[in-house]
Amino acid sequence: MVRTRFAPSPTGYMHIGNLRTALYEYLIARSNNGKFILRIEDTDRERYVDGAVDVIYKTLKTAGISHDEGPDVGGDFGPYIQSERKNNYIDYAKELIEKGEAYYCFCTKERLDEMRENSDETAAKYDRHCLSLSKEEIDENLKNNVPFVIRQKIKEGKTSFNDEVYGTITVDNSDIEDQILIKSDFLPTYNFANVIDDHLMGITHVIRGSEYLSSTPKYNLLYEAFGWEIPTYIHVPPVMKNATEKLSKRNGDASFQDLIDKGYLPEAIINYIALLGWSPSDNKEIFTMDELIQAFDVKGLSKSPSIFDITKLTWMNGEYIKKLNFDKFFEMVYPILKNAVKRDDIDLKILAGYIKTRIGTLNEISDMVDFVNDVKDYDNSLYVHKKMKTTEEISLNSLKKILPVLESMNNFDNDTIYDSLVSLARENELKNGQVLWPLRTALSGQPTSPCGASELAVLLGKEDTLNRVRAAINKLSV
């Protein structure tokens, strides 16, 4: 059975690249009727951030990525927590010592700093000083409680492995440092615990960022030392801000929660990040989660980094909003509309229907509907529209003709208003746009509006419509 895992460190927010990795792991498991595991790798206590585990858990839940097993938490599966399994790792490290694949290192921080200062190499590897210690010296140090770490003994030669994206990778073992497996606080390093847990949890496919390609050989040496089966590796390139910079919270780039707060739908975000580095065979762009599960294939993964395009995400988000069931959409936007519209006489359901096909994000709504409260000051140049063949003079004359027509209406509904305005244009040998555009501008005071002139009039009501037309005539007459 295919078993994948997402193993984030609780160091803060959920990076878009991290979420993409989780998504790919989830899709590989689900598309193969396998299992997806969540494991929190929290052994680096210096980088641990309080509340970060909740952020991870909430993000995955919001994104629709559910894990399959873990400790029971109130009848639900909680994630595996690495620090709660620390006794496992020391025993495995001692097993490696017995096999001659690892050793105790008693070097102090001062000695290590001095070693590196005296080295000609920029990033000097550990010099294996403690590898030559006799059994008697080791036993004496342990007896006297001398602080130690346990290091992996890297063997000579070369290590090769196959990656599903990058092909065969070969590394000279002389370039690999004898990495620390168990730290002086008896907690495992990320690299060691990662291997042990993947084996114990039966992980068959490991998906992670391409920055881990160089670390993979030392993982494989551990697998070989234990005599364990090596998983299938799938390394994915980074998500970039631009051609030279990675996405980074420090640079102000958005996390998943930031995007949610900016009015993007979780389903749209997931759809978009699935395509950051993966191409479906049919070039389709809009996917539900179930459709992603059916379509996902690692053969579609690219070696090239992907650039996060907020414009493309906004377009995709708009497509998702358009496809929403109206009742669900209205329920979603009602609090926003209720807060943005200060009038009690506006039918929010009608307004929601107008904006549904015109927004890219939910956060655009407040500014888009603000015109219903009052018309903000605007430049008369808005009345000049090349396509509509309007000028300020034409607009003023049209509004003067429109006003008495609207004043005389008993039925102030969309069909009556529209038909009357079209008739007015025909009687005065004007294009429809030369009548409709000036009214639309007068009622909204904006270069764009969520609906046409007649719909705006109905939405605002007769009294407010007439007042806005009179104000526009006065504005253009100055």
Side-chain angles (χ1 to χ4, degrees), residues 40-53:
I40 305 299
E41 302 201 334
D42 63 340
T43 54
D44 189 344
R45 305 310 290 180
E46 291 183 2
R47 298 179 63 222
Y48 183 88
V49 174
D50 287 335
V53 173

Side-chain angles (χ1 to χ4, degrees), residues 243-257:
T244 59
E245 296 177 286
K246 288 184 181 181
L247 282 180
S248 169
K249 185 70 171 180
R250 284 173 293 184
N251 294 334
D253 299 318
S255 68
F256 176 77
Q257 188 57 50

Side-chain angles (χ1 to χ4, degrees), residues 414-427:
N414 185 60
D415 289 342
T416 301
I417 296 170
Y418 183 80
D419 291 344
S420 298
L421 294 176
V422 170
S423 296
L424 179 66
R426 184 173 58 252
E427 291 166 4

Side-chain angles (χ1 to χ4, degrees), residues 168-239:
T168 300
I169 307 289
T170 301
V171 174
D172 194 319
N173 292 352
S174 62
D175 294 330
I176 305 174
E177 183 175 23
D178 285 1
Q179 65 170 339
I180 295 174
L181 305 179
I182 299 293
K183 297 176 289 187
S184 58
D185 59 5
F186 303 115
L187 285 173
T189 58
Y190 167 86
N191 290 326
F192 187 51
N194 190 279
V195 169
I196 302 300
D197 281 342
D198 281 350
H199 169 71
L200 294 178
M201 295 180 182
I203 302 304
T204 61
H205 293 67
V206 172
I207 304 95
R208 58 187 173 220
S210 57
E211 65 269 22
Y212 288 102
L213 276 169
S214 60
S215 300
T216 301
K218 56 190 176 187
Y219 299 151
N220 288 356
L221 290 173
L222 288 171
Y223 279 106
E224 292 173 2
F226 284 115
W228 296 340
E229 185 176 351
I230 295 173
T232 298
Y233 290 115
I234 304 166
H235 287 84
V236 291
V239 179

Side-chain angles (χ1 to χ4, degrees), residues 361-375:
T361 71
L362 300 181
N363 283 16
E364 295 173 16
I365 293 175
S366 293
D367 287 342
M368 182 174 286
V369 305
D370 187 51
F371 74 92
V372 303
N373 298 312
D374 55 60
V375 177

Side-chain angles (χ1 to χ4, degrees), residues 112-113 115-126 177:
L112 294 174
D113 289 343
M115 179 204 76
R116 292 188 173 94
E117 287 175 8
N118 294 332
S119 173
D120 294 331
E121 299 179 35
T122 304
K125 299 194 300 295
Y126 176 61
E177 183 175 23

Side-chain angles (χ1 to χ4, degrees), residues 32 141 148 262 272 331 366:
N32 289 280
N141 283 338
F148 66 85
K262 290 179 179 180
Y272 179 67
E331 181 182 356
S366 293

